[in-house]
Amino acid sequence: MTLTYLVTGASRGIGLEFVKQLASAGNTVIATARNIEASSGLKALAQDNVILTTLDTGDSESIKKAVEFVSKVAPNGIDVLINNAGATGDMSLDVLNCTPEDYRKAFEINVIGTSSVTQAMLPLLRLGKTRKIVNLCSVLGSIERTENGNAWGFGMSYAVSKAAEGMLTKGFSCALKDEDFTIVAVHPGWVITDMGGKNGELTTTQSVEGMLNCVYKMTTKDNGTFFDYAGTILPW
Ligand SMILES: NC(=O)c1ccc[n+]([C@@H]2O[C@H](COP(=O)([O-])OP(=O)(O)OC[C@H]3O[C@@H](n4cnc5c(N)ncnc54)[C@H](OP(=O)(O)O)[C@@H]3O)[C@@H](O)[C@H]2O)c1
């Protein structure tokens, strides 16, 4: 079954690869980025089933305009929302020296952006056929994995904001459970991108193939879970 997907942060990295794979599988993809003009990769993907539009997840006016646009181009709603846009903050700052400004930057995109886009897109998701929301979280935000003195020791604003994005995922999954939504947090693995760096363990192709296998198969039974690109359940 081909569906309508909306992907945030599609200018590069994992988001761009989601657009490629979803489009080549015949789905309709609304590919969003805060600066489409700056992404030659995204512009090259524009075709009948790939619709590009501007969406800065940190800007409420931009989110409002994107919703208006999507309502016109997808009057039957969107089936799957992929909240992929993310930012790291300063990865050299640990819990003892992370600054308020650094926490604000990471929270602005990873938590407030994901929340605002999800809230704004809900009416369109309610019109859709599958009611799925996929939040790109990270194992670095797993509280259980940092127990016993095993804290990551770096990139604290990223880790704390991704933990909060996990709670956001859980919160939405509880609030929308009775409406048959499936809302999950996914860790893409350590992926070679601008964020993951050159030493990552997976290409974007491998990571996105794995995540999409899970997304295609998931049902309301998976609502509120956290898993990685291979489908392995992770602790919150
Ligand atoms: N790579 C990894 O190993 C890894 C591991 C765990 C989790 N993740 C998560 O996976 C997701 C994608 O990561 P990635 O590796 O592809 O990162 P990336 O290469 O740094 O790309 C980040 C994407 O997010 C977009 N973005 C940032 N702020 C935005 C905003 N305000 N509005 C719209 N888009 C915005 C960027 O757009 P611009 O081009 O405009 O900056 C870019 O498209 C993130 O949520 C990340 O936390 C990645």
Side-chain angles (χ1 to χ4, degrees), residues 9 11-12 14 34 56-57 84 109 137 158 162 188-189 191 193:
S11 62
R12 54 195 165 98
I14 293 170
R34 58 183 161 180
D56 181 338
T57 65
N84 165 78
I109 305 306
C137 285
Y158 182 69
K162 286 290 173 182
V191 188
T193 62

Side-chain angles (χ1 to χ4, degrees), residues 115-189:
S115 172
S116 304
V117 170
T118 304
Q119 289 175 356
M121 294 294 170
L122 271 183
L124 285 161
L125 283 155
R126 287 189 172 110
L127 290 176
K129 295 188 277 284
T130 59
R131 299 187 172 186
K132 292 181 181 177
I133 303 174
V134 179
N135 292 336
L136 271 282
C137 285
S138 171
V139 74
L140 294 179
S142 167
I143 291 172
E144 199 174 316
R145 291 276 179 106
T146 60
E147 275 174 0
N148 306 319
N150 237 347
W152 297 102
F154 61 91
M156 210 53 195
S157 62
Y158 182 69
V160 174
S161 68
K162 286 290 173 182
E165 196 176 9
M167 178 55 103
L168 196 67
T169 307
K170 202 71 174 169
F172 274 115
S173 76
C174 294
L176 297 168
K177 178 173 165 280
D178 294 340
E179 293 185 53
D180 288 337
F181 271 81
T182 305
I183 303 173
V184 298
V186 183
H187 170 60

Side-chain angles (χ1 to χ4, degrees), residues 8-16 18 32-36 38-39 55-59 62 83-88 108-110 113-114 135-140 158 162 165 186-197 200-202 204 207 211:
T8 67
S11 62
R12 54 195 165 98
I14 293 170
L16 183 65
F18 267 124
T32 74
R34 58 183 161 180
N35 186 355
I36 289 168
S39 173
L55 172 53
D56 181 338
T57 65
D59 176 347
S62 172
N83 282 313
N84 165 78
T88 53
E108 187 68 47
I109 305 306
N110 298 337
T114 300
N135 292 336
L136 271 282
C137 285
S138 171
V139 74
L140 294 179
Y158 182 69
K162 286 290 173 182
E165 196 176 9
V186 183
H187 170 60
W190 182 15
V191 188
I192 305 163
T193 62
D194 292 337
M195 185 185 288
E201 292 167 345
L202 297 169
T204 54
S207 168
M211 289 190 280

